[in-house]
Amino acid sequence: MSGTLYMVPSHISDVNGANDLPQSTTSIISSLRHFVVENVRTVRRFLKSVDKQIDIDGLTMCELSEHTPDAKIPEMLAPAIAGENIGMVSEAGCPGVADPGATLAAEAHRRGIRVVPLVGPSSLLMALMASGLNGQNFAFRGYLPIGTELVRALRQMEERSQRENQTQIFIEAPYRNDKMLDALLSSLHAETRLCIARNVMGADELIVTHKVSEWRKLARPSLHKIPTVFLFLA
């Protein structure tokens, strides 16, 4: 009988630490001995914060990132094929959602291995919950193009948002957040509602929604190198 692939949510803030996760999730994490991870060093710290009794050196860890060849994916599931459980952990948040993990889950499904998502924080959903924007119809766009293509993408998204009453959700590399905000305020219509969700669950958390016309009059929040989710509804 095959083992189970657990999709393990990790901390999205250094402030709350293991308090981000319910006991049911931490119990399963503590029982695992095999992991596929985005970054070994980060996951070692994460596991110690979950359970100080975990024997880190006794665990097996394979790295999976956007640069991992597809041919390497099947061998990462060897423990599950042998009947052992595996945990997939990305850098911050939920694996498979804006983070590595989807290819591993897809291969597990092809091989008849059970895939189980564990309960934990998602900055994307938490931002949507607090935004006041439409939570019945929304689209996560991941990372948008840069340069001249960004303005075109934003305008296409705004047209769809207005046509379908659909909230648009996306993220940016933290060092480009300020440029993204510049593009949003210069490209979107004045009546479009824009939510900035900075460092969700962190000490300097900021989740605020205003019309673009109102944002243009306000002092801009500091976003440089701080994880931020952007949302808007036309």
Side-chain angles (χ1 to χ4, degrees), residues 15-79:
V15 174
N16 294 295
N19 293 329
D20 287 353
L21 307 176
Q23 181 61 46
S24 58
T25 293
T26 58
S27 294
I28 292 174
I29 294 172
S30 297
S31 73
L32 299 174
R33 294 296 173 263
H34 305 279
F35 290 89
V36 178
V37 305
E38 185 176 4
N39 183 287
V40 170
R41 180 180 297 180
T42 300
V43 171
R44 287 172 69 95
R45 289 199 305 267
F46 164 67
L47 293 175
K48 274 299 184 184
S49 74
V50 170
D51 183 354
K52 291 182 173 56
Q53 303 305 313
I54 292 178
D55 178 14
I56 299 295
D57 294 330
L59 306 178
T60 63
M61 294 191 189
C62 299
E63 285 200 349
L64 171 62
S65 72
E66 59 185 13
H67 305 296
T68 303
D70 288 345
K72 291 285 186 181
I73 303 298
E75 64 189 59
M76 296 180 180
L77 292 169

Side-chain angles (χ1 to χ4, degrees), residues 138-194:
F138 57 90
F140 173 56
R141 303 295 182 179
Y143 292 92
L144 303 187
I146 61 176
T148 56
E149 292 299 311
L150 174 59
V151 172
R152 180 183 302 177
L154 288 174
R155 288 177 177 164
Q156 289 175 343
M157 289 162 59
E158 189 176 40
E159 289 175 2
R160 181 168 184 176
S161 177
Q162 185 174 42
R163 184 174 65 250
E164 301 182 17
N165 189 28
Q166 183 182 76
T167 299
Q168 306 294 299
I169 308 172
F170 53 98
I171 52 180
E172 179 57 284
Y175 70 91
R176 289 204 298 260
N177 280 339
D178 290 334
K179 288 185 178 180
M180 175 59 76
L181 183 54
D182 288 341
L184 290 165
L185 296 185
S186 63
S187 303
L188 299 180
H189 289 108
E191 293 299 301
T192 292
R193 288 187 289 160
L194 170 65

Side-chain angles (χ1 to χ4, degrees), residues 67-224:
H67 305 296
T68 303
D70 288 345
K72 291 285 186 181
I73 303 298
E75 64 189 59
M76 296 180 180
L77 292 169
I81 294 171
E84 300 283 337
N85 296 331
I86 304 175
M88 171 67 214
V89 190
S90 58
E91 275 285 83
C94 298
V97 182
D99 275 322
T103 54
L104 187 71
E107 185 64 25
H109 285 297
R110 281 192 288 270
R111 292 173 178 269
I113 296 169
R114 184 181 177 217
V115 181
V116 175
L118 297 183
V119 176
S122 166
S123 59
L124 304 175
L125 289 179
M126 296 175 78
L128 178 61
M129 290 165 63
S131 69
L133 305 182
N134 189 1
Q136 301 261 17
N137 184 5
F138 57 90
F140 173 56
R141 303 295 182 179
Y143 292 92
L144 303 187
I146 61 176
T148 56
E149 292 299 311
L150 174 59
V151 172
R152 180 183 302 177
L154 288 174
R155 288 177 177 164
Q156 289 175 343
M157 289 162 59
E158 189 176 40
E159 289 175 2
R160 181 168 184 176
S161 177
Q162 185 174 42
R163 184 174 65 250
E164 301 182 17
N165 189 28
Q166 183 182 76
T167 299
Q168 306 294 299
I169 308 172
F170 53 98
I171 52 180
E172 179 57 284
Y175 70 91
R176 289 204 298 260
N177 280 339
D178 290 334
K179 288 185 178 180
M180 175 59 76
L181 183 54
D182 288 341
L184 290 165
L185 296 185
S186 63
S187 303
L188 299 180
H189 289 108
E191 293 299 301
T192 292
R193 288 187 289 160
L194 170 65
C195 176
I196 295 173
R198 179 191 69 191
N199 204 18
V200 176
M201 296 189 75
D204 60 344
E205 176 185 84
L206 175 76
I207 305 177
V208 179
T209 301
H210 293 299
K211 291 181 179 179
V212 167
S213 59
E214 296 168 338
W215 276 117
R216 288 170 179 164
K217 299 173 185 177
L218 297 171
R220 298 190 183 185
S222 175
L223 304 178
H224 186 58

